[in-house]
Structures are given as structure tokens and as C-alpha cells.
Amino acid sequence: MYPLSTTRSLGAFLVLLVSALLLSSWRDDSTKHLLERHPSQVELHPSAFNAVNASSAKNVIALPYGRHDFPVKLSNPHSHHAFHKRVDVGTLDYGDTVCKGRLLYQKILAAFEGTGTPGREFSAQYIDNGWVKDTDNAMMFDWEIPLMAVGKTLGAGVGEREPTEAEVTLIDLLQRKPFKNANGEQVNDLERNAHHELAYIPSFSTIVIINVVSPTNQVRARFRKEKKEITQADILRRIPPLNRVSDVMWTVWSTISKNPNSLRFIGIDGISNGDTFGIMKTIFEKGEAKEPIKFPGLKFRLDTEEGQALLATPNGLAIAWLMIDRAGKLGRRVPTVSIYSVYPETGGYYRMLWDLQPLWPTSAAPPGTTPKPTSTSKIASHTKRSDRRSPHVLQKRDLDYQTAKCKGKVLYNNIQAAFQGKASLGSVYEFSAESLDNGWRFEDEVEDLDTTWTEALKMISRTLRIGDRIPTESETLLIGVSQSVPYKNTMGQPNERSGGFYDVAYIPSFLTIIASDTESPRNRLISASGGRITEAEIQRRVPPLNRLSDMIWTIWNLNSRSPNNLRYIGRSNVVDDGVVAIIRLIFDSRGGIRGWPGYTYGIDTEEGQALLATPNGVAIAWLLIDRAARLGRRRPKVTIWSSDPDTGRGNNMLWDLEPV
């Protein structure tokens, strides 16, 4: 027999033991519930380089963090193994990703040189437009070693130490209240799972991205669930203006940091995106260890293949666009990225640490300043053809061949995805005749087609079995339009003219369109601003109908009895220096400049993709992407030739959109 006090003590011990076991079980189930309930996805930036075969929609899971601990723990060692088992490797092709990263790297360099288009700046009031801010102080568990390395790198004033709890501000922006979208329309139907959870450490010049579920991806997920088609316009109507990861972290950082331009390090905790995870896994396997390694991991500059591949991942895009959009404030940087695994023995729990190391040469603008425009020329009036083309920076683009191949490969993948019904990447908006009356004026004088097109048109007539001839004057519609009258933009706001113009020949009986002289309103505005106009300002100052691909399709649709049968699109007398350089390189690779019938390439070839990426080819790409449902599957190819092989002048393109 035991004494009563001992029995009571033993009973109390057993009660405590059972309670502890039950509590442990509840916490495990709570973590599991958290993992299953909150799918996480880092947004893709809307641009010409959207991932086509990205599997991010189905290959992502939540990070194992909740609001049940205080101070908030930013990582839970007990959840790492379970977390790793739930990450599926994505299907993003490594070579394609390197290509996209190369294009982003070029954009970053252009932004650093002051020739890019700066991004929109959001004031603090945008944080209150649709977002509820949840703020805590936090301890950076499992980030001690990387942050000590950051402190050591920053040197005096910081030192090799961990940040204190008071130095770390964890802010989670939750979409929990109605807002006004970019058009000023009230939105009450919220994407309540959307949120941006980041840790801000101003004393360490560091931001750590913890968990992001973007409004854009939530809208896409809703449309997929409801099996509805979605356009970019649908998305913009349903999300607040402040919605991208890059914009959110910069806007919040600017409100809590005394010197926002000092931002240097950006960490990404627990990579949960399947596509990013797959690219990192590939890079680890390419490394000397052939497997994931602990911090400091593997480090790459952005001029390397690996650095560019990481830049183009869904997680790297936010860093890319932060540098592009805020180059004027951040100044010139020499970025590097380190990747490592917290638990390499399990092969999982990957992280990134981006170091945006400043580089401020005497020739560059100091950080926090914006270079002055290189040109103050005003928009020229629409007069005779020889006078109206502006000598803007885009007219002398240096589009190197490797970059063109990369961009063309991305566009080719987008086209194939559109043919398969797997992508809604473009406007896909059909413009009516009224759209032409909004800011556009029809011109009386448009030059006739150059005689160099005679043989090309005869070839078209033979292919279509309508004889061996050229179109008659009555069969050819020479239509020139200029953006030379006031208009209302997509938000209904009145604007003055931009000065863009399109001179095009439409030949419905030959299923052919031939553009002779064009300059978009967008490029015209960039020219007038010396390249220092923001993307938001461009969108505000162009009419809804403004792209070449939309313009030629709208006019063709109004003048052809069977618009879906469009087969040939030509470009006469290419004058863009960047395009001419690509054409000359291809000519040289074949032994020299050649007249008609020139050289022909499918867009599945290296040469075809390089031509697809030129400013003249991009319009064809977007026509195929946006109107894939109307045009059906095509097998495009392009022919290039010179009107004057002896001098190399008069370079021409003919795109054959052969039906499959």
C-alpha cells in the first residue's frame, strides 16, 4: 500500500502525462490541418514572359506557420520533414527558364542604365485599400546563421549577430475588406485567402518572404474551379491595385524603414512552389556535391546560367521586378543569389537569399535619384511619312541574337499553349468598329506596296490556287490610321493624342495583310519621355485599341468575309536596327544577303524563334496567342529576303500561318 499523498501524486502525474500526450497529438493534428487547408503560391508577374508550362497551380503547399505561437516562430523544425514530403517537383524546363532569366537580366541592366520603364509607386494609403494589416514582433528561428552572415557583411553598426525580437516586424497583409480596383470600381467579392506575410528587419537591410498567396492566383484558381475562361481584364477588375509581391514588400518596407533605398538582402523561406523547387533541385544536382547543401549553399551572379534560371522562377520574379521597377531608387546593384537546404539529409526545405549589393560608379546616378530623361522631344504631328518616325531609343535597339532566341522560345511555348487551349495570356478582347473611332483617324494618303512584293504575292496566289498573279487595285485596301485625335482610355478618362500610326495593306482575296510603316502609341510615348515614363502612365495614356496585333485583326475582321482564314502577314522594308541586325546575322550564316525567295524557317527552329522575338515578329506571336480560338491550330513559318541584295537594303518578312 502506498501512502495517500503518494497515490494522489501519482494520479496527478498520470493526469498530466495524458494531458501532455493529448496536447502533443492536438498540436500535430493542428499542423497537419494547417498544411492541408492553406495552399500557398507565389505570384507570377504579368508580362510578355509568363510561364506556359508552369505547374505552380497544382504543385504548391502552405508553409507550416500559424498564428498560434507568440512570439511568432518563422519556422518549425518539427514540420520541415512533413513539409518536404508534400512538395512536388514542377515541370518547368531548365533551358526555358534560363532563357526567361536572360530576358529579365537584360531588363534589369536596362533599368540600371536608366533606359527601362520605371514601375508604379504606391503610397501607404494603398495598404488600406482592401488589406487588413496584422503586425507582430518575431524571433527569426532557423534564420540565425544566415542573418549573422548578413550582419557580418554589413559590418559596422550591425556586426555578426542575430536581430533581436524588437528588430523584426512580421506583417501579414490579409485581403479582408472591400476595395476599389485600378478602374476605381468598388469590389466587395473578396479573395479572402489572399495574403502577404513577410518579415521586415530594417536594421539588417533585410526582408524575408514567409508566405504569399497572391490575389491574382486566387482569381485564376476561382475561374479554374468554375471552369470559366479568364482574361487579364477579368483579373484586374477583381484585385486591388497593390497586389504584386514586389510592390507589396517595397511599399510596406518604405513605411517602416528610415532609409528604404538601403534594402539589400531578401530571403525566401521554405520554397513551396513546385516549379522553383524543381529548378533548385536541378542546380543542386549540377553542383559539385550533386545534392542539396546547408548554408551558405551555392552562390551565383545573375550573369550566370544558374543565376538567370533562379531569377525566372516564380519565386525569383518578385526580386527581378523589384529591381526593374525601383532601379531609380535602389541605384545600380550587383545582385547574387544563394540557395541552400535547411535539412539536406532529407533533400528538402529549400531557401533563397538574394544579395542586392550596391554598385554606385561615378557615372551613375546616386541611390535615391532618378536620371534625367535623355530626350525632351515632344510628340511630332502626323505629317508626311518620311518625317513622322521618331528617332527614339527603341529605334536603335541592340537585340543580341542569344537574347532574341531566348525570347522567341518563350513566345513559341506561349503560342503552343494557346493552340492547345491551355493559356489565356493576351487581351483576347474583340474590338468593335467603335474602338477605331476612339482616338484614331483614317489617313487619306498611304503608300502603295513596294514592287518587291510582286513575286511573293504570286507565290501566295499559286499556293491558294487563285492563279499566278498579283492582287488588283480593287482587291487591295490601303488603310492608314493615326492616333492623332483625343480619346478615352480604358478607365474612361479623356486623353490627348499619342501620335502612333499604322499603315497597312489588307488583301482579303489573298488572305494577306502587309504592314508597311508602323509605330505604336506605346513606343511613341516612350520616345517623347526619353524612356522615363512608367508602365502605369503608359496604360493611362494609350487608347484601348493600341497594339499592332489588335489593330490589324480589328480592321481585318471588319473587311474580310472569312476573317478566321487569315494566312499571310508581311512586313515591308524593315527599318528597326535591332531587327535588321538579326536578319543580317541569319543572312551571314547562310552565305550572304539574298533576294526573293530568301530563306524560310519554322518557328520551332533557332532562326525562326530569333525572328519571332523581334519587334516585328512579336505582333505575329500575340496575334496567334490572342486569337488562337478563332484561327485554330497553325504551323507558322517566316521568310526573309532583301529587295536589294547588293546593298542589303529593303529587308522584308513574310509570315505564313499555315493551318494544321
Side-chain angles (χ1 to χ4, degrees):
M1 294 291 293
Y2 296 99
L4 183 59
S5 59
T6 304
T7 304
R8 287 175 177 173
S9 298
L10 181 61
F13 171 77
L14 290 173
V15 170
L16 289 171
L17 178 61
V18 171
S19 299
L21 289 172
L22 288 172
L23 179 61
S24 175
S25 174
W26 176 82
R27 288 179 68 87
D28 288 343
D29 289 341
S30 174
T31 303
K32 179 182 178 183
H33 176 69
L34 207 68
L35 284 165
E36 292 176 346
R37 190 174 179 185
H38 299 285
S40 170
Q41 185 171 348
V42 176
E43 71 170 326
L44 291 173
H45 188 284
S47 72
F49 321 115
N50 282 335
V52 175
N53 56 350
S55 57
S56 52
K58 61 181 180 181
N59 288 331
V60 292
I61 65 171
L63 298 175
Y65 311 131
R67 315 294 313 170
H68 51 273
D69 292 325
F70 188 84
V72 176
K73 295 181 180 180
L74 298 187
S75 56
N76 184 347
H78 300 292
S79 302
H80 288 164
H81 301 284
F83 170 86
H84 167 59
K85 292 176 183 177
R86 295 177 60 85
V87 177
D88 297 321
V89 175
T91 59
L92 205 60
D93 179 78
Y94 182 76
D96 290 351
T97 310
V98 173
C99 271
K100 294 169 189 172
R102 181 182 177 89
L103 300 176
L104 285 166
Y105 177 59
Q106 297 290 342
K107 281 182 171 287
I108 291 169
L109 292 179
F112 287 162
E113 294 166 1
T115 59
T117 303
R120 179 179 179 180
E121 288 296 327
F122 294 90
S123 62
Q125 69 184 29
Y126 282 94
I127 299 175
D128 297 324
N129 184 32
W131 298 102
V132 173
K133 185 164 66 172
D134 188 5
T135 304
D136 280 326
N137 288 115
M139 295 295 289
M140 298 298 289
F141 289 94
D142 281 355
W143 275 88
E144 299 98 328
I145 296 176
L147 287 171
M148 287 176 68
V150 166
K152 183 178 180 180
T153 300
L154 294 175
V158 183
E160 189 175 358
R161 64 177 181 87
E162 304 171 40
T164 64
E165 182 178 336
E167 288 179 292
V168 182
T169 304
L170 180 71
I171 297 179
D172 196 358
L173 292 188
L174 309 162
Q175 193 176 120
R176 292 289 188 270
K177 61 182 181 182
F179 59 89
K180 289 188 176 181
N181 63 20
N183 293 336
E185 301 164 339
Q186 185 72 17
V187 179
N188 298 313
D189 187 12
L190 307 179
E191 302 298 337
R192 292 188 173 272
N193 285 331
H195 74 111
H196 293 81
E197 185 177 14
L198 294 88
Y200 302 87
I201 319 173
S203 57
F204 277 62
S205 301
T206 296
I207 296 173
V208 179
I209 300 173
I210 305 301
N211 197 358
V212 172
V213 181
S214 77
T216 297
N217 284 331
Q218 287 295 291
V219 173
R220 290 186 186 277
R222 180 195 292 195
F223 273 70
R224 279 196 302 269
K225 185 177 181 180
E226 297 173 356
K227 298 181 179 179
K228 294 180 180 179
E229 292 293 326
I230 188 171
T231 67
Q232 190 65 25
D234 292 325
I235 294 172
L236 292 175
R237 282 195 296 269
R238 288 167 171 80
I239 61 176
L242 179 62
N243 64 84
R244 298 187 304 159
V245 181
S246 58
D247 291 332
V248 167
M249 67 176 165
W250 178 258
T251 302
V252 176
W253 174 261
S254 297
T255 65
I256 66 174
S257 174
K258 294 180 180 179
N259 182 16
N261 301 343
S262 67
L263 175 62
R264 174 160 176 183
F265 295 94
I266 302 175
I268 303 178
D269 190 51
I271 301 297
S272 63
N273 181 280
D275 289 319
T276 305
F277 190 91
I279 295 299
M280 293 175 74
K281 186 173 184 292
T282 298
I283 293 173
F284 279 132
E285 292 170 351
K286 285 163 56 71
E288 185 176 341
K290 307 296 182 185
E291 60 185 3
I293 58 176
K294 286 188 175 183
F295 187 83
L298 303 177
K299 187 175 183 178
F300 305 99
R301 299 190 311 271
L302 293 196
D303 57 356
T304 65
E305 175 186 293
E306 295 85 354
Q308 290 170 3
L310 292 165
L311 189 69
T313 61
N315 294 83
L317 286 171
I319 314 303
W321 287 104
L322 176 73
M323 289 189 284
I324 293 167
D325 291 342
R326 273 80 194 186
K329 291 199 169 184
L330 292 171
R332 296 175 68 94
R333 301 294 179 108
V334 184
T336 59
V337 55
S338 298
I339 60 172
Y340 65 99
S341 172
V342 177
Y343 286 97
E345 60 271 16
T346 67
Y349 211 82
Y350 294 168
R351 285 176 174 167
M352 289 182 178
L353 181 61
W354 296 81
D355 180 357
L356 314 184
Q357 182 180 357
L359 174 64
W360 302 319
T362 54
S363 59
T369 65
T370 302
K372 294 181 180 180
T374 56
S375 171
T376 56
S377 61
K378 296 183 178 180
I379 299 173
S381 60
H382 186 87
T383 55
K384 61 181 182 178
R385 175 176 175 175
S386 59
D387 294 340
R388 62 181 174 167
R389 180 169 294 280
S390 58
H392 55 74
V393 291
L394 293 181
Q395 187 67 17
K396 296 184 179 296
R397 284 167 284 208
D398 289 327
L399 184 65
D400 71 88
Y401 190 68
Q402 293 301 321
T403 300
K405 284 196 304 179
C406 278
K407 185 177 180 181
K409 188 172 185 179
V410 173
L411 287 168
Y412 172 73
N413 288 336
N414 287 348
I415 291 169
Q416 296 307 308
F419 287 162
Q420 295 165 16
K422 296 180 180 178
S424 297
L425 301 173
S427 67
V428 298
Y429 181 77
E430 293 296 336
F431 294 92
S432 63
E434 288 73 22
S435 300
L436 285 165
D437 295 329
N438 184 27
W440 293 96
R441 184 180 71 186
F442 286 88
E443 295 298 315
D444 297 329
E445 297 182 7
V446 180
E447 292 187 9
D448 291 332
L449 285 175
D450 195 297
T451 54
T452 189
W453 281 85
T454 299
E455 293 303 319
L457 288 166
K458 285 185 176 181
M459 180 278 295
I460 290 173
S461 69
R462 293 192 297 270
T463 302
L464 298 178
R465 299 182 180 180
I466 56 175
D468 185 7
R469 65 184 184 87
I470 61 174
T472 63
E473 186 175 336
S474 62
E475 289 178 295
T476 306
L477 302 173
L478 299 174
I479 299 177
V481 293
S482 64
Q483 209 291 285
S484 54
V485 292
Y487 62 92
K488 289 185 177 181
N489 63 16
T490 54
M491 294 177 280
Q493 299 168 332
N495 277 270
E496 295 299 318
R497 60 187 175 82
S498 68
F501 56 88
Y502 297 114
D503 286 356
V504 182
Y506 300 86
I507 318 173
S509 58
F510 277 58
L511 309 182
T512 297
I513 295 172
I514 301 175
S516 57
D517 197 17
T518 63
E519 187 169 24
S520 70
R522 176 189 182 86
N523 287 352
R524 201 72 168 175
L525 289 169
I526 293 174
S527 165
S529 70
R532 299 305 302 173
I533 187 171
T534 66
E535 183 62 32
E537 182 68 6
I538 290 174
Q539 294 303 318
R540 190 183 70 79
R541 295 182 58 189
V542 296
L545 177 58
N546 66 82
R547 298 190 306 166
L548 175 59
S549 58
D550 289 331
M551 179 62 74
I552 60 177
W553 176 259
T554 299
I555 296 179
W556 175 261
N557 205 26
L558 295 170
N559 289 280
S560 173
R561 294 179 180 177
S562 302
N564 299 349
N565 291 335
L566 174 63
R567 168 94 185 247
Y568 296 95
I569 302 177
R571 176 69 201 205
S572 178
N573 192 28
V574 175
V575 297
D576 186 288
D577 289 354
V579 185
V580 171
I582 298 296
I583 292 175
R584 292 285 177 83
L585 281 171
I586 296 174
F587 278 150
D588 291 344
S589 71
R590 296 292 294 269
I593 300 172
R594 187 180 184 187
W596 180 263
Y599 302 110
T600 300
Y601 304 95
I603 64 169
D604 57 348
T605 65
E606 177 184 293
E607 296 87 352
Q609 289 172 2
L611 292 165
L612 189 68
T614 62
N616 299 103
V618 166
I620 311 302
W622 284 107
L623 178 72
L624 291 168
I625 293 167
D626 291 346
R627 273 79 194 185
R630 295 279 304 268
L631 294 170
R633 293 179 66 91
R634 300 296 180 104
R635 188 184 296 112
K637 53 190 175 184
V638 56
T639 298
I640 55 172
W641 77 98
S642 173
S643 304
D644 188 353
D646 293 334
T647 64
R649 296 175 181 172
N651 295 289
N652 306 284
M653 288 181 174
L654 179 62
W655 297 85
D656 180 356
L657 314 182
E658 181 184 4
V660 176

